[in-house]
Every structure is written in C-alpha cells, then in structure tokens.
Amino acid sequence: MATQGQVITCKAAVAWEANKPLVIEDVQVAPPQAGEVRIKILFAALCHTDAYTWSGKDPEGLFPCILGHEAAGIVESIGEGVTEVQPGDHVIPCYQAECRECKFCKSGKTNLCGKVRAATGVGVMLNDFKSRFSINGKPIYHFMGTSTFSQYTVVHDVSVAKIDPLAPLEKVCLLGCGVPTGLGAVWNTAKVEAGSTVAIFGLGTVGLAVAEGAKKAGASRIIGIDIDKKKYDIGKNFGITELVNPKDHDKPIQQVIIDLTDGGVDYSFECIGNVQLMRAALECCHKGWGTSVIVGVAASGQEISTRPFQLVTGRVWKGTAFGGFKSRSQVPWLVDQYMHKEIKVDEYVTHQLTLDEINKAFDLMHEGGCLRCVLDLHP
C-alpha cells in the first residue's frame, strides 16, 4: 500500500479525560515497528468495558486515550519480523494476546498470555514503551492493546487474528469480545453438559451469548435473571426458557432460584459485574456440584464474599476472560462457525452508526434497548 512506512493522519475518537464527551480528532498514526501490525479499522462495536474505562473507575485507565476493543479491519502494513499476517489480510484485533511462547500460553491451562501485558496495561507498545498515536506531537495512549475507535490502529502481532476474507466485517467485529466471552464461559470454563440447569444474571450481549452457548450445549432449563421485563422477549430467541425479575420477589434472588429448581442450578453465570449478584449466583447453585462462573467485570476495589460453607459443601466458584478462547487460534474458528450459521452474531447488532456519532452510540448503550451498536469508520 502507498501508505507503508509513512505516518497516516486519520480520524479517531479521543477520550481527553474521564467522563467528558469523546472528540473526533485528526490523529497521526506511526508506522508499525518490529512485531507490530497497522490495521485499517472498518467497523468497531461498543462494549461496556469501553464505558467503564471512560468513566474514570478503571485503575488502569489513562487519558488522553483512544478506546475501543471490539472491531474488524484489513492489515495496511506490517513491521519487521511479522510473518502470520500480510497487508490485505482481513483481521480481528484481540485484546487477549496469544504469543504461543510464554509460560501462560505453554501451560495448556489458560488462554491468558503474558507477552505484551506489561505494555498494553500502561497504554503503550512493547518495543519501545511508547505510543504509536499522537496529535501534533502529543502522545495519545493506547487502550487494551487495540484502540479501535480510530480509522487506523497499531497492534502487536500476537494480538491479531486472521479471518476468512468472505466474512462480513460489520458483523464479525463482535467476535472480538462480547459474544466469545459468553459462549466460551459455557463451553470452555463451565463445560456445561446436556440436561443441565443454568441461571444467567444479566441479559446484555454477554448474558445472551451465555444463553446461546447453554442452548447449544443442550441445557434443559436456562433461567434469565434481569430487572428489565422486555429482556424475556429478546432472550427467548437466544435460548432463555424463563425470566425471573428480582423486583417481583421479596425473598433474596438466590432463594427464588433454589425454590424454582429443586435445590439450585447446576451452573450459574454472573454477566454484570455486581459483587452482590456474584454472591447470589454462587449461592443459587446446587449443593454438592453447582458451579458459578464470574464473567462480569466489577469496579476497582470491589471484593466478593460468601460463607466458606458454600464451598465446603461442594460449590465451585470460577472466573473467565474472553471465555477461555485462545485469540489467534480460535477467533478464526468462531468466524467459521458464524459463516456456517452455527452461532448467532447478526442478532446482537441493534444499532448502526458512524464514528462521528460515537457519543450518541454510548448514550444508546446505557438506555437498555441496545445490545451492540456497530460504528462504520469509513462511511
């Protein structure tokens, strides 16, 4: 491409400070260094994690930064030593890296990867601990190693999943975060079996993906717990068999679920990030074998609690990140699953806007009627 080796000036939504509207700016994006890939981002979706950092509650949040971590695009250029992708490849940038060389990757026990975390956690690139984004010489921090609310971004090569070029990027961009997180929580972390009973706390995108995963696993009952009654009509399409609204009950929600299920569910999933609900999710599990998976991200400094007896009597408490999927290896598989109509993606997209309308998109996300809003970065 003609831009190879050059600084690219493009549009990006910059978060100058916490809780202030994002500003569309002309940003300079430096060429990729060794082990880096510059990607033309075509479509990006909004996720609650973006809003969490923007709110100022994230202890790792740095400003000014370019948010965004659920997207798809085309490789524009590659740095020295990059072999797995070439310019023109269709890719999904992944906040969960996979280097295949570190202690984590080699363990066979986790999808976490340690290679670039020291840099991505502080908003820079590993090579020189500097940013590739600037505005008139002032550095702008990266976010989650992805920064996809920019028409061009630079990411580490270990964070790039090469996908089927026929896949519609305006849809499969969702496979960069929320949908795999929910599906994988069921398939990889909990390993839900056929005939199981399942409770899901919070029916946003991730909770609905949990429902879909549980349905595909053959769960017999999939109980959604949400304070929005309208979620049942949406949830039915993803596999929810019944909805419980905590507001309709005087008893603690865990007791309501226990009473409904003859002693509790086999598996529960907390998809909100509320520590009180994490406790309820554990305690609504069946004595002797119930497993609860924490999927939602709680605010910084929050702690979980329960009586130890809950665990002594056989319940298991687990957590998951990106649904336990290994990004570079398994995101292409998820795209293939979508292309073969084995998993839903289109159904999560409720709104489509442009990068210029990003603040409106965040407003929509908080209103409840929005699952995923996809932004077109090059309309």
Side-chain angles (χ1 to χ4, degrees):
M1 302 210 179
T3 47
Q4 224 164 336
Q6 313 287 317
V7 171
I8 292 177
T9 297
C10 67
K11 299 289 182 196
V14 176
W16 285 104
E17 50 188 307
N19 269 325
K20 293 284 166 67
L22 303 182
V23 183
I24 305 298
E25 302 277 12
D26 286 317
V27 175
Q28 284 76 51
V29 185
Q33 295 188 14
E36 298 173 4
V37 179
R38 189 160 60 181
I39 302 169
K40 180 180 185 178
I41 297 290
L42 296 182
F43 297 94
L46 280 70
C47 169
H48 282 274
T49 310
D50 299 308
Y52 167 61
T53 299
W54 185 24
S55 73
K57 292 177 188 156
D58 179 356
E60 280 195 356
L62 296 161
F63 299 93
C65 73
I66 296 170
L67 297 166
H69 65 282
E70 192 174 285
I74 296 173
V75 175
E76 174 271 337
S77 60
I78 57 175
E80 186 190 325
V82 175
T83 56
E84 302 245 338
V85 294
Q86 298 298 323
D89 284 348
H90 288 216
V91 294
I92 291 177
C94 301
Y95 66 88
Q96 187 54 67
E98 182 194 351
C99 73
R100 301 174 181 149
E101 294 164 358
C102 72
K103 181 181 179 183
F104 292 94
C105 285
K106 284 181 163 170
S107 71
K109 296 179 179 182
T110 180
N111 66 323
L112 301 180
C113 169
K115 170 122 188 237
V116 297
R117 184 77 182 91
T120 58
V122 291
V124 294
M125 299 302 285
L126 188 64
N127 227 17
D128 57 0
F129 271 75
K130 290 185 174 151
S131 172
R132 301 289 169 263
F133 296 112
S134 60
I135 297 180
N136 303 324
K138 178 182 170 58
I140 307 293
Y141 288 111
H142 294 249
F143 169 71
M144 288 178 77
T146 50
S147 289
T148 57
F149 296 153
S150 174
Q151 290 178 321
Y152 287 85
T153 188
V154 176
V155 303
H156 299 99
D157 63 349
V158 294
S159 304
V160 183
K162 179 181 170 180
I163 62 164
D164 179 351
L166 298 177
L169 297 180
E170 71 277 12
K171 299 292 196 294
V172 296
C173 59
L174 268 59
L175 296 175
C177 180
V179 174
T181 297
L183 294 174
V186 177
W187 298 342
N188 303 324
T189 308
K191 298 184 167 65
V192 170
E193 312 93 350
S196 305
T197 52
V198 171
I200 305 166
F201 289 74
L203 298 181
T205 297
V206 176
L208 292 171
V210 167
E212 190 197 347
K215 183 181 180 182
K216 284 204 93 65
S220 58
R221 286 177 78 182
I222 304 172
I223 303 164
I225 296 126
D226 203 292
I227 53 174
D228 181 353
K229 287 194 276 291
K230 296 194 292 287
K231 288 290 172 73
Y232 180 58
D233 291 330
I234 301 164
K236 286 190 300 208
N237 306 322
F238 292 86
I240 296 290
T241 57
E242 54 216 280
L243 183 81
V244 176
N245 185 341
K247 289 184 170 174
D248 296 342
H249 301 271
D250 300 326
K251 290 185 288 196
I253 188 64
Q254 49 267 61
Q255 193 56 50
V256 174
I257 303 297
I258 287 167
D259 293 347
L260 267 178
T261 55
D262 184 27
V265 293
D266 300 316
Y267 297 95
S268 72
F269 299 84
E270 199 280 353
C271 304
I272 298 163
N274 175 315
V275 291
Q276 275 75 42
L277 289 178
M278 290 174 189
R279 177 174 191 158
L282 175 78
E283 295 178 359
C284 79
C285 283
H286 203 288
K287 182 178 178 177
W289 62 77
T291 295
S292 186
V293 180
I294 294 174
V295 190
V297 177
S300 168
Q302 300 272 302
E303 296 184 350
I304 50 172
S305 63
T306 190
R307 292 184 306 119
F309 196 67
Q310 292 284 335
L311 302 181
V312 171
T313 52
R315 294 170 193 82
V316 176
W317 220 348
K318 303 176 95 165
T320 191
F322 196 52
F325 282 116
K326 283 187 171 273
S327 55
R328 288 199 293 163
S329 306
Q330 292 183 289
V331 167
W333 174 79
L334 285 164
V335 170
D336 293 343
Q337 290 289 104
Y338 163 72
M339 295 296 279
H340 292 117
K341 299 191 165 45
E342 292 291 329
I343 60 170
K344 295 184 195 304
V345 172
D346 302 22
E347 292 82 353
Y348 296 93
V349 180
T350 52
H351 297 78
Q352 290 160 299
L353 297 172
T354 63
L355 182 63
D356 291 344
E357 300 172 294
I358 190 165
N359 289 304
K360 179 184 168 188
F362 273 107
D363 291 342
L364 281 169
M365 189 171 78
H366 292 304
E367 280 166 19
C370 173
L371 290 175
R372 278 296 189 261
C373 176
V374 174
L375 302 176
D376 183 345
L377 273 74
H378 297 267

